[in-house]
Amino acid sequence: VNMTKDKRARLKVIYEKYIARKNYRYDLSIDEIIANSHGHIYYVYNNEIIAFSFNKLVGDALLGVEFAWDYGEPKLSMGHINVYYNTIYAKFNRCKHFYLSSGYESCSIYKSSYPGFQWWTGQAWTDDVETYKELCRRDDRLQIHCDGFI
């Protein structure tokens, strides 16, 4: 994906705000997100990019690689708007499915509220929402310690 240095810098600021707001334990660089994507959507408000979504086409499915927004206007509900526009993007690209990216920790539980929600158990697709929620909550209890890698 080709983009200007200024746009890349703006996306980095948005992403850093998003990670901080969500209190995520890990993050990718903007360069890694772009490299792992086939397409993107930018959301502009008052002539400024406030959110983005990077996606990848995988067979007959659209995979959400990363979404972030700066929360400058929380009432905009950009997460819901993003899901809506990504389903349109998926239909335009003749995709049968839209995957909302990975689902770890309780911050991912909201994904189970969308109609038609399914998740991958590691062996099969299922619509067992309660098990999904319990596994997300269990992930919150996991502690990660790294020695000698950084």
Side-chain angles (χ1 to χ4, degrees):
V1 176
N2 255 344
M3 70 178 62
T4 66
K5 193 175 184 179
D6 288 344
K7 186 178 282 184
R8 192 177 295 258
R10 176 66 186 144
L11 299 184
K12 184 175 189 266
V13 168
I14 292 168
Y15 189 58
E16 288 170 351
K17 287 181 179 181
Y18 186 74
I19 293 296
R21 170 80 180 228
K22 292 291 193 173
N23 198 26
Y24 286 156
R25 292 190 260 178
Y26 64 93
D27 61 310
L28 300 170
S29 72
I30 288 298
D31 292 332
E32 290 170 313
I33 292 167
I34 293 168
N36 194 32
S37 305
H38 295 146
H40 53 279
I41 300 171
Y42 300 121
Y43 300 95
V44 178
Y45 185 74
N46 289 333
N47 297 315
E48 185 172 38
I49 298 173
I50 61 163
F52 64 82
S53 175
F54 280 84
N55 305 295
K56 179 185 271 190
L57 293 170
V58 181
D60 65 353
L62 181 67
L63 170 66
V65 173
E66 191 65 65
F67 164 76
W69 70 300
D70 64 9
Y71 281 92
E73 294 285 338
K75 291 180 181 181
L76 291 176
S77 299
M78 291 307 303
H80 294 295
I81 290 170
N82 180 61
V83 170
Y84 174 76
Y85 279 104
N86 271 287
T87 56
I88 292 171
Y89 186 85
K91 286 181 183 181
F92 179 79
N93 284 286
R94 295 192 169 96
C95 295
K96 294 180 181 176
H97 306 281
F98 170 48
Y99 300 114
L100 296 169
S101 196
S102 58
Y104 300 101
E105 302 173 343
S106 59
C107 61
S108 295
I109 289 175
Y110 78 93
K111 296 175 182 184
S112 66
S113 67
Y114 289 104
F117 172 79
Q118 292 184 323
W119 59 281
W120 182 251
T121 66
Q123 297 181 1
W125 289 100
T126 181
D127 57 6
D128 183 349
V129 171
E130 291 310 311
T131 299
Y132 174 80
K133 288 178 179 179
E134 176 52 36
L135 291 173
C136 286
R137 288 197 261 319
R138 185 181 70 185
D139 291 343
D140 287 341
R141 297 187 301 267
L142 178 66
Q143 294 182 2
I144 300 170
H145 300 273
C146 297
D147 289 327
F149 293 108
I150 299 174

